[in-house]
mmCIF file of all heavy atoms in Angstrom:
data_model
loop_
_atom_site.group_PDB
_atom_site.id
_atom_site.type_symbol
_atom_site.label_atom_id
_atom_site.label_comp_id
_atom_site.label_asym_id
_atom_site.label_seq_id
_atom_site.Cartn_x
_atom_site.Cartn_y
_atom_site.Cartn_z
ATOM 1 N N ILE B 160 176.124 -80.932 1.737
ATOM 2 C CA ILE B 160 177.454 -81.174 2.208
ATOM 3 C C ILE B 160 177.497 -82.485 3.020
ATOM 4 O O ILE B 160 178.349 -83.321 2.873
ATOM 5 C CB ILE B 160 177.981 -79.953 2.919
ATOM 6 C CG1 ILE B 160 178.284 -78.866 1.968
ATOM 7 C CG2 ILE B 160 179.237 -80.285 3.607
ATOM 8 C CD1 ILE B 160 178.528 -77.495 2.565
ATOM 9 N N ALA B 161 176.590 -82.573 4.070
ATOM 10 C CA ALA B 161 176.724 -83.687 4.952
ATOM 11 C C ALA B 161 176.593 -85.081 4.157
ATOM 12 O O ALA B 161 177.368 -85.923 4.329
ATOM 13 C CB ALA B 161 175.614 -83.565 5.973
ATOM 14 N N PRO B 162 175.508 -85.282 3.278
ATOM 15 C CA PRO B 162 175.594 -86.481 2.621
ATOM 16 C C PRO B 162 176.733 -86.680 1.643
ATOM 17 O O PRO B 162 177.207 -87.738 1.446
ATOM 18 C CB PRO B 162 174.229 -86.489 1.765
ATOM 19 C CG PRO B 162 173.699 -85.069 1.852
ATOM 20 C CD PRO B 162 174.278 -84.449 3.163
ATOM 21 N N LEU B 163 177.269 -85.603 1.115
ATOM 22 C CA LEU B 163 178.427 -85.796 0.242
ATOM 23 C C LEU B 163 179.710 -86.248 1.024
ATOM 24 O O LEU B 163 180.477 -87.076 0.617
ATOM 25 C CB LEU B 163 178.845 -84.371 -0.439
ATOM 26 C CG LEU B 163 177.928 -84.030 -1.707
ATOM 27 C CD1 LEU B 163 178.348 -82.796 -2.376
ATOM 28 C CD2 LEU B 163 178.140 -85.114 -2.715
ATOM 29 N N VAL B 164 179.763 -85.781 2.255
ATOM 30 C CA VAL B 164 181.033 -86.261 3.023
ATOM 31 C C VAL B 164 180.756 -87.693 3.238
ATOM 32 O O VAL B 164 181.728 -88.460 3.124
ATOM 33 C CB VAL B 164 180.896 -85.556 4.423
ATOM 34 C CG1 VAL B 164 181.999 -86.157 5.330
ATOM 35 C CG2 VAL B 164 181.195 -84.072 4.270
ATOM 36 N N ASN B 165 179.602 -88.273 3.523
ATOM 37 C CA ASN B 165 179.352 -89.632 3.640
ATOM 38 C C ASN B 165 179.851 -90.345 2.434
ATOM 39 O O ASN B 165 180.428 -91.430 2.408
ATOM 40 C CB ASN B 165 177.816 -90.004 3.836
ATOM 41 C CG ASN B 165 177.308 -89.852 5.248
ATOM 42 O OD1 ASN B 165 178.223 -90.013 6.166
ATOM 43 N ND2 ASN B 165 176.108 -89.620 5.448
ATOM 44 N N GLU B 166 179.440 -89.764 1.227
ATOM 45 C CA GLU B 166 179.803 -90.465 -0.041
ATOM 46 C C GLU B 166 181.318 -90.494 -0.203
ATOM 47 O O GLU B 166 181.796 -91.479 -0.555
ATOM 48 C CB GLU B 166 179.174 -89.584 -1.198
ATOM 49 C CG GLU B 166 179.396 -90.110 -2.479
ATOM 50 C CD GLU B 166 179.149 -91.572 -2.704
ATOM 51 O OE1 GLU B 166 178.308 -92.011 -2.012
ATOM 52 O OE2 GLU B 166 179.866 -92.203 -3.560
ATOM 53 N N VAL B 167 182.070 -89.456 0.151
ATOM 54 C CA VAL B 167 183.543 -89.336 0.148
ATOM 55 C C VAL B 167 184.060 -90.412 0.998
ATOM 56 O O VAL B 167 184.970 -91.183 0.552
ATOM 57 C CB VAL B 167 184.003 -88.036 0.424
ATOM 58 C CG1 VAL B 167 185.485 -87.922 0.426
ATOM 59 C CG2 VAL B 167 183.567 -86.951 -0.474
ATOM 60 N N VAL B 168 183.601 -90.506 2.158
ATOM 61 C CA VAL B 168 184.167 -91.414 3.107
ATOM 62 C C VAL B 168 183.883 -92.936 2.635
ATOM 63 O O VAL B 168 184.830 -93.747 2.690
ATOM 64 C CB VAL B 168 183.544 -91.256 4.496
ATOM 65 C CG1 VAL B 168 183.896 -92.468 5.395
ATOM 66 C CG2 VAL B 168 184.131 -89.946 5.152
ATOM 67 N N SER B 169 182.726 -93.225 2.093
ATOM 68 C CA SER B 169 182.453 -94.638 1.633
ATOM 69 C C SER B 169 183.287 -94.835 0.374
ATOM 70 O O SER B 169 183.800 -95.910 0.149
ATOM 71 C CB SER B 169 181.080 -94.859 1.530
ATOM 72 O OG SER B 169 180.506 -94.072 0.527
ATOM 73 N N LEU B 170 183.581 -93.768 -0.460
ATOM 74 C CA LEU B 170 184.423 -93.939 -1.593
ATOM 75 C C LEU B 170 185.917 -94.345 -1.233
ATOM 76 O O LEU B 170 186.461 -95.190 -1.888
ATOM 77 C CB LEU B 170 184.366 -92.636 -2.474
ATOM 78 C CG LEU B 170 184.922 -92.676 -3.862
ATOM 79 C CD1 LEU B 170 184.235 -93.768 -4.701
ATOM 80 C CD2 LEU B 170 184.771 -91.322 -4.450
ATOM 81 N N VAL B 171 186.398 -93.695 -0.215
ATOM 82 C CA VAL B 171 187.697 -94.051 0.173
ATOM 83 C C VAL B 171 187.704 -95.507 0.604
ATOM 84 O O VAL B 171 188.687 -96.259 0.200
ATOM 85 C CB VAL B 171 188.105 -93.231 1.471
ATOM 86 C CG1 VAL B 171 189.394 -93.729 2.057
ATOM 87 C CG2 VAL B 171 188.139 -91.702 1.203
ATOM 88 N N LYS B 172 186.689 -96.040 1.189
ATOM 89 C CA LYS B 172 186.812 -97.359 1.635
ATOM 90 C C LYS B 172 186.449 -98.321 0.511
ATOM 91 O O LYS B 172 187.121 -99.367 0.374
ATOM 92 C CB LYS B 172 185.757 -97.573 2.784
ATOM 93 C CG LYS B 172 186.245 -96.931 4.154
ATOM 94 C CD LYS B 172 185.354 -97.101 5.281
ATOM 95 C CE LYS B 172 184.081 -96.294 4.995
ATOM 96 N NZ LYS B 172 183.101 -96.487 5.989
ATOM 97 N N TYR B 173 185.611 -97.932 -0.424
ATOM 98 C CA TYR B 173 185.324 -98.687 -1.585
ATOM 99 C C TYR B 173 186.572 -98.827 -2.417
ATOM 100 O O TYR B 173 186.803 -99.860 -3.180
ATOM 101 C CB TYR B 173 184.242 -98.004 -2.429
ATOM 102 C CG TYR B 173 182.913 -98.625 -2.144
ATOM 103 C CD1 TYR B 173 181.850 -97.705 -1.855
ATOM 104 C CD2 TYR B 173 182.660 -99.923 -2.110
ATOM 105 C CE1 TYR B 173 180.577 -98.139 -1.580
ATOM 106 C CE2 TYR B 173 181.362 -100.388 -1.906
ATOM 107 C CZ TYR B 173 180.300 -99.512 -1.638
ATOM 108 O OH TYR B 173 178.993 -99.963 -1.306
ATOM 109 N N SER B 174 187.495 -97.846 -2.424
ATOM 110 C CA SER B 174 188.648 -97.831 -3.319
ATOM 111 C C SER B 174 189.516 -99.021 -2.959
ATOM 112 O O SER B 174 190.398 -99.444 -3.676
ATOM 113 C CB SER B 174 189.502 -96.541 -3.151
ATOM 114 O OG SER B 174 190.187 -96.528 -1.972
#
Side-chain angles (χ1 to χ4, degrees):
Chain B
I160 290 174
L163 277 178
V164 173
N165 273 339
E166 180 49 30
V167 175
V168 167
S169 62
L170 192 57
V171 172
K172 291 180 290 177
Y173 268 127
S174 78

